[in-house]
Amino acid sequence: MTSSKTQYHVSLRGDAILTSSRWNKGTAFSMAERKAFGLTGRLPNRVNTLDEQCERAYDQLQARDSPIRKNCYLQSLKNQNWVLYFALLSRHVRELVPIIYTPTEADAIASYSRLFRRSEGLYLTLPDQDTMEQDFLEQVKGRSIDLIVCSDAEQILGIGDQGVGISAAKAVIYTLIGGIDPSRVLAVTLDVGTNNEDLLNDKLYVGWSNKRIRGEQYDQFIDKFLQLVRKHLPHCLVHFEDFGVTNAQRILARYRDTHPVFNDDIQGTGAVTLSCVMSAIGVTRTKLSDQRFIVYGAGSAGLGITKQLRDAMVATDGIPEEEADTKFWLIDRNGLIRQSTPDVREDLRAFIRSDEEWSSFTGKVGLLDVVKQVKPTVLIGCSTHAGGFTEEVVKTMAAHCERPIILPLSNPCRLVEVKPSDANEWTRGKALLATGSPFPPAKMPNGKDYVIAECNNALIYPGLGFGAMLCQARKMTDTMIIAGARRLAELSPALEDPDNALLPDFEDAPQVNFEVAVAVAEQGIEEGSAGVDWSKEEVRAQAKAQLWEPVYAEYTYDPHGEA
């Protein structure tokens, strides 16, 4: 990785530089630059500051009357001018992240083919795999790439299979909140078809109109892509996004020991949830291994959370993994996952409960049944079952727990397992709460507002990625992720006031992720996973030097410079 410079030698002139999103400054080009780059007749006379451009762009944005229109405007701005785009976002983080990311980005992806204007990133399609290496090199030649965000778009949260949809929003968050140079990031679509009939029957669909490929042919396609990354970009972090439950864990397990790879749906969700729980047990003054966890929803997110909590329990409390497995009760559409549950995925087998301990139940064992028998201290929802945590479930839990930890994490807000205001009311303000989407504060019995922490992956995954890139990690280890989660938990406002939020405010996400990155890189160096020769004491200074910031540099025209 390299830091953003204050001066560049650029070879583009005229319309070429004005249409380059990386180099364009618009009306912020100085008079000297306008003369040097042939722009004096292509721009109006006034030279604007970046602040003035942001004010103008924000006014234009506000004229759009819906989140999806705002999303489209911001996408257009990004295609025109990276610095202005990121500068505008950085001035309005809380307001605009929900527009460019969860939840509005889901609507944009669902309408990807209808809204399509300009290609972005790299599209690799299964029937064209014979030219994959050539297509790959066309995109990366002459570039230094630190991060690839790739997706096969099978399981986009809340909207499912979208066939083809570039993972640009994740890459944007890496830059906005993690400080990653956008010129060193590549978004990749792995188009293996779609089972979405609406898309297959849409004449405007821009992807491969074919049923989704599975099995050996799918695995060979994914492997061919990963081997290209290993061959040409051996130090590049690969971020997996929105892979289906049948593939996500399997692909991560296959490649995590041979290349720095990261699955946000599994590890990012698990890490930020771990931070939430660490913060909560800091309030209750208990240990991870003291908890009894019910995880409602056993897909990629639920399993990722479970494994992250289990691994942290082993690492921090020193108990055997087999004992840690017994602290979890997982529930899916068939009820509690136990020996007699049909069609249990292989990756869930460590958490199967015995039929013997539930012998008094016939048929499906539901959430309320499990809560009554287990008396959990932590209830985690990632089921997208709106209202699944009923009043009876919550009150039953609270009757046996002084400070119940309740984390309804499903997105978007309409799919949340329980509204935090209801959970707060039903527990008489005892619950320690966090949600996956933003919610307003809940009122405590004493009249005080209880700030609902947003358990948003963006509070941690950019820092996890930046830390791995910073130390040139050979792989992203569990201990590196736990180190980042622990650092996030240490920044919890609840540790200063137990009735405050379990996680830092989202507006502080850039500073928080910087701290996460430092912790991850320090752990990588300490355990020998890093590819740099620094000491731990040098990490913070190196991280500061390598942050990318959205400010205009000075340009000098050079026919042999950067393009």
Side-chain angles (χ1 to χ4, degrees), residues 20 101 114 165 172 209 217 222 250 258 270 341 414 417 470 493 501:
S20 167
Y101 188 52
R114 297 274 164 173
V172 166
S209 291
Q217 195 178 4
I222 299 298
R250 191 172 59 84
T258 58
T341 302
R414 60 183 173 80
E417 286 80 6
L470 181 65

Side-chain angles (χ1 to χ4, degrees), residues 358-421:
W358 298 90
S359 58
S360 60
F361 292 86
T362 57
K364 178 177 175 179
V365 180
L367 174 60
L368 181 59
D369 299 321
V370 182
V371 170
K372 286 179 176 178
Q373 181 151 319
V374 170
K375 299 178 177 59
T377 59
V378 184
L379 179 58
I380 299 170
C382 37
S383 65
T384 66
H385 176 195
F389 296 171
T390 64
E391 182 174 358
E392 187 176 5
V393 164
V394 171
K395 285 186 173 180
T396 301
M397 180 184 182
H400 301 285
C401 186
E402 181 59 32
R403 296 300 303 268
I405 301 167
I406 302 177
L407 310 177
L409 303 180
S410 289
N411 287 310
C413 296
R414 60 183 173 80
L415 299 179
V416 73
E417 286 80 6
V418 64
K419 294 179 181 177
S421 57

Side-chain angles (χ1 to χ4, degrees), residues 108-113 116 122-125 151-154 156 161-167 188-194 196 199 204-209 212:
I109 292 172
S111 304
Y112 185 74
S113 294
F116 188 87
L122 173 62
Y123 301 82
L124 299 176
T125 308
S151 177
D152 74 353
E154 182 176 5
I156 294 174
D161 186 347
Q162 297 303 310
V164 60
I166 207 77
S167 301
V188 177
T189 284
L190 300 169
D191 188 355
V192 293
T194 179
N196 186 324
L199 295 178
L204 296 184
Y205 177 54
V206 297
W208 181 38
S209 291
R212 186 171 285 273

Side-chain angles (χ1 to χ4, degrees), residues 28 48-55 83-84 87 91 550-552:
N48 286 127
T49 65
L50 181 56
D51 283 336
E52 288 169 341
Q53 288 183 315
C54 284
E55 182 179 351
V83 170
L84 177 55
R91 286 157 171 78
V551 293
Y552 288 130

Side-chain angles (χ1 to χ4, degrees), residues 32 71 89 101 113 178-179 217 242 299 344 355 426 432 464 512 525 530 554:
N71 179 284
L89 295 181
Y101 188 52
S113 294
Q217 195 178 4
D242 294 327
V344 176
D355 285 333
W426 296 337
L432 296 164
L464 295 174
V512 167
I525 289 171
E554 294 181 4

Side-chain angles (χ1 to χ4, degrees), residues 329-332 334-338 341 353 358 365-366 370:
W329 288 260
L330 274 59
I331 299 173
D332 67 5
N334 295 312
L336 177 68
I337 296 176
R338 49 188 177 141
T341 302
R353 309 302 304 198
W358 298 90
V365 180
V370 182

